[in-house]
């Protein structure tokens, strides 16, 4: 019975997510402005409702991540285009900072093998160099210095988040660490496509793909919390119920 309920919950949770993806695709294919504007903010509340069907607790860091992500999602509904980019960047930046706070306690750099530690530092240095190069280019292209600064800080936050998530995965190699790293990768790819659409080349298919990647990141992050809650549940004690005949006891 427990196994059936677990499979049923996972199926319904995935079904709700796929339905939201389908609504976003329909909105973009039909170029329906109302659906395109309102479908994206539905992901977090809908997934949260289905999450609470089975689970009752969420950590304060994850709640904060969801709050700022949701505010970033709905910002396009209330803000003009001039202030939209800066406000949404700040809100998503704050949400990623809370993800960093979630993963930092699990980051044990001194427990890593020296070769792996050097490899991580090299990868981090390469990413920081490319970010610096891109920042110089963006500074020459975008006239608003605040917008460029937010781009740099947000990108740096994602790089640090990815570094921490990858380090935790290499150190633990658990299902939780894989899910967290996967979610961070989807968030990073989504942010990259968002930058391309805003500053280089806009196409509705890129915008749709960016939303789908972001939504997958949210879904995987919820799965990460589900696994975390499952691991926290106390295991039922195993009761040994065996009977012995009087002949065996006297033998």
């Amino acid at each position: 019975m427990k196994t059936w309920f677990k499979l049923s919950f996972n199926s319904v949770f995935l079904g709700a997510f796929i339905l939201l993806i389908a609504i976003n695709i329909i909105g973009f294919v039909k170029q329906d402005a109302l659906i395109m504007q309102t479908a994206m903010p539905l992901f977090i509340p809908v997934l949260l409702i289905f999450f609470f069907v089975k689970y009752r607790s969420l950590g304060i860091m994850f709640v904060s991540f969801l709050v700022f992500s949701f505010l970033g999602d709905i910002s396009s509904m209330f803000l003009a285009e001039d202030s939209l980019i800066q406000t949404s960047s700040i809100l998503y930046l704050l949400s990623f900072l809370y993800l960093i706070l979630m993963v930092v306690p699990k980051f044990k750099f001194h427990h890593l093998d020296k070769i792996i530690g050097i490899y991580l530092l090299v990868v981090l240095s390469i990413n920081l160099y490319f970010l610096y190069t891109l920042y110089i280019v963006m500074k020459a292209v975008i006239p608003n210095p605040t917008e460029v600064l937010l781009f740099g800080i947000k990108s740096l936050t994602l790089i640090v988040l990815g570094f921490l998530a990858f380090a935790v995965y290499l150190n633990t190699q658990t299902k939780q660490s894989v899910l967290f790293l996967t979610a961070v990768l989807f968030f990073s790819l989504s942010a990259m496509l968002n930058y391309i659409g805003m500053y280089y080349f806009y196409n509705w298919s890129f915008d749709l793909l960016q939303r789908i990647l972001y939504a997958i990141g949210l879904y995987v992050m919820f799965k990460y919390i589900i696994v975390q809650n499952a691991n926290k549940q106390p295991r039922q004690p195993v009761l040994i119920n065996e009977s012995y005949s009087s002949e065996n006891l006297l033998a």
Side-chain angles (χ1 to χ4, degrees), residues 106-137:
K106 301 178 181 180
F107 176 67
K108 309 292 183 182
F109 190 78
H110 59 279
H111 289 171
L112 290 172
D113 184 80
K114 290 184 178 180
I115 296 179
I116 295 178
I118 294 173
Y119 167 74
L120 286 172
L121 291 176
V122 170
V123 172
L124 178 62
S125 300
I126 293 174
N127 280 276
L128 291 176
Y129 173 76
F130 278 115
L131 174 59
Y132 174 76
T133 304
L134 185 59
Y135 179 81
I136 298 299
V137 174

Side-chain angles (χ1 to χ4, degrees), residues 11-229:
S11 300
V12 172
F13 194 70
L14 178 60
F17 171 74
I18 293 175
L19 178 60
L20 291 173
I21 292 290
I23 292 173
N24 277 270
I25 293 175
I26 291 172
F28 272 86
V29 171
K30 291 187 174 182
Q31 289 296 294
D32 190 310
L34 180 61
I35 296 178
M36 291 169 62
Q37 191 174 39
T38 58
M40 186 64 184
L42 291 176
F43 279 100
I44 289 179
V46 170
L47 293 179
L48 197 57
I49 290 172
F50 280 96
F51 177 88
F52 279 120
V53 169
K54 187 173 182 181
Y55 301 97
R56 296 291 182 269
S57 62
L58 283 173
I60 184 64
M61 297 300 175
F62 187 66
V63 171
S64 301
F65 160 74
L66 292 178
V67 169
F68 285 111
S69 296
F70 179 68
L71 292 175
D73 294 342
I74 66 174
S75 59
S76 61
M77 300 173 61
F78 304 102
L79 298 173
E81 187 175 352
D82 294 337
S83 58
L84 173 61
I85 296 176
Q86 296 183 27
T87 304
S88 61
S89 295
I90 293 173
L91 292 169
Y92 287 126
L93 169 63
L94 292 173
S95 70
F96 295 144
L97 288 175
Y98 278 103
L99 288 183
I100 290 179
L101 293 178
M102 284 175 58
V103 75
V104 161
K106 301 178 181 180
F107 176 67
K108 309 292 183 182
F109 190 78
H110 59 279
H111 289 171
L112 290 172
D113 184 80
K114 290 184 178 180
I115 296 179
I116 295 178
I118 294 173
Y119 167 74
L120 286 172
L121 291 176
V122 170
V123 172
L124 178 62
S125 300
I126 293 174
N127 280 276
L128 291 176
Y129 173 76
F130 278 115
L131 174 59
Y132 174 76
T133 304
L134 185 59
Y135 179 81
I136 298 299
V137 174
M138 299 295 285
K139 198 173 181 180
V141 173
I142 303 174
N144 191 332
T146 303
E147 191 174 324
V148 178
L149 180 63
L150 287 172
F151 160 79
I153 296 175
K154 182 181 175 183
S155 300
L156 178 61
T157 302
L158 283 170
I159 289 175
V160 172
L161 179 59
F163 169 78
L164 293 173
F166 192 39
V168 171
Y169 163 71
L170 291 177
N171 196 34
T172 61
Q173 296 187 9
T174 60
K175 184 177 181 179
Q176 276 185 268
S177 62
V178 172
L179 289 172
F180 194 93
L181 176 60
T182 302
V184 171
L185 290 176
F186 278 112
F187 288 142
S188 301
L189 291 173
S190 174
M192 188 183 304
L193 282 177
N194 187 37
Y195 293 148
I196 293 174
M198 286 192 301
Y199 303 121
Y200 180 66
F201 174 75
Y202 177 80
N203 186 282
W204 69 266
S205 59
F206 281 5
D207 196 5
L208 175 61
L209 181 58
Q210 177 261 324
R211 292 190 178 200
I212 292 176
L213 292 173
Y214 171 75
I216 294 175
L218 289 175
Y219 176 80
V220 175
M221 191 58 66
F222 269 101
K223 296 294 290 185
Y224 166 82
I225 297 298
I226 290 172
V227 172
Q228 180 174 277
N229 286 344

